[in-house]
Amino acid sequence: MLNLVLFGPPGAGKGTQADFLIEKYQLIHLSTGDLLRSQIAAETALGLEAKSYMDKGFLVPDSIVIEMIKSKLQENKDANGFIFDGFPRTVEQAIALDKLLDENETPVSGMLCLEVEKQELIDRLLSRGKTSGRPDDQDVSIIENRIQEYNKKTMPLKDYYMAQNKCHKIHGMGSIDEIAQRLIDTVSVL
Ligand code: AMP
């Protein structure tokens, strides 16, 4: 079973690159951002709560996203593997993921860390905001909050996975195909 954690700041290209990896390795895509946005669209209580954080560019509480991932793992017990996109984003979440995967005896195979310069992140998000309609992609101060949340709460995960020898840094600038090839080269030696 191949369990990949696709890691990087907002705008690093996680969603775009996830599409390549899913097709190549037949993995189930688990994007907590997408799952939360579908809860918002369905106007559930969970969606409403999450929206109040997301619209400001803050992380939603760990308990919400951990519960969502837990039920998705249970729903997909026969999967070839998973690609975790935008999860984990805190050390709490990473510990919870390790515990959940331990129960299935299928640990994280590797963490693929996309590295992109800050100005490029802002440019990509603003450009995506023109078509995505996402409020958190359209306002520079919200984008700055998201990057700050990443630096403060998510970046420490690099050390968490480094300590397990699972952190693989990937240069995330260049064409989509070039970056996809770098990811595939890395996954092929996991
Ligand atoms: P994304 O689609 O991954 O850019 O996520 C959009 C927003 O959803 C983030 O800015 C957070 O508010 C929220 N979110 C997504 N995934 C998580 C997570 N793993 N932990 C906390 N908040 C999350």
Side-chain angles (χ1 to χ4, degrees):
M1 199 167 188
L2 185 64
N3 291 319
L4 302 174
V5 170
L6 196 49
F7 188 86
K14 298 187 291 296
T16 307
Q17 294 299 336
D19 291 342
F20 281 92
L21 296 169
I22 290 156
E23 205 191 335
K24 186 159 175 66
Y25 299 104
Q26 303 294 307
L27 304 174
I28 304 259
H29 185 205
L30 293 183
S31 155
T32 38
D34 286 351
L35 293 170
L36 290 165
R37 280 184 290 276
S38 60
Q39 293 284 328
I40 293 175
E43 298 181 348
T44 63
L46 188 153
L48 210 69
E49 187 187 351
K51 185 171 164 40
S52 65
Y53 297 92
M54 291 165 76
D55 280 355
K56 298 187 196 93
F58 297 127
L59 294 186
V60 307
D62 288 333
S63 55
I64 293 184
V65 286
I66 291 169
E67 230 8 82
M68 284 191 332
I69 290 290
K70 186 176 173 184
S71 65
K72 286 287 166 194
L73 291 177
Q74 278 165 356
E75 275 171 31
N76 293 285
K77 280 201 172 2
D78 297 329
N80 279 338
F82 296 92
I83 180 151
F84 298 94
D85 163 5
F87 179 92
R89 258 174 157 107
T90 64
V91 173
E92 288 272 337
Q93 293 178 23
I95 293 170
L97 179 63
D98 278 349
K99 276 204 190 122
L100 289 169
L101 292 177
D102 265 359
E103 285 164 21
N104 298 348
E105 294 174 13
T106 57
V108 168
S109 317
M111 178 247 224
L112 308 169
C113 178
L114 288 166
E115 299 192 317
V116 177
E117 286 157 20
K118 184 175 170 192
Q119 192 53 51
E120 172 79 7
L121 298 174
I122 296 173
D123 293 346
R124 285 187 193 176
L125 290 171
L126 287 172
S127 153
R128 182 174 74 183
K130 288 185 192 143
T131 51
S132 72
R134 281 178 54 174
D136 59 344
D137 282 347
Q138 293 175 24
D139 179 312
V140 176
S141 71
I142 297 174
I143 290 175
E144 291 278 359
N145 280 348
R146 292 167 66 194
I147 295 175
Q148 259 184 40
E149 287 278 85
Y150 173 81
N151 288 335
K152 202 167 60 183
K153 299 178 183 166
T154 309
M155 197 99 94
L157 285 183
K158 280 193 204 177
D159 289 337
Y160 180 87
Y161 286 105
M162 204 117 57
Q164 298 185 11
N165 272 327
K166 288 182 180 170
C167 173
H168 302 272
K169 293 182 182 168
I170 316 278
H171 182 49
M173 308 277 287
S175 75
I176 291 176
D177 287 345
E178 280 166 350
I179 301 165
Q181 193 54 52
R182 286 176 206 140
L183 286 164
I184 287 167
D185 289 347
T186 305
V187 174
S188 66
V189 295
L190 285 181

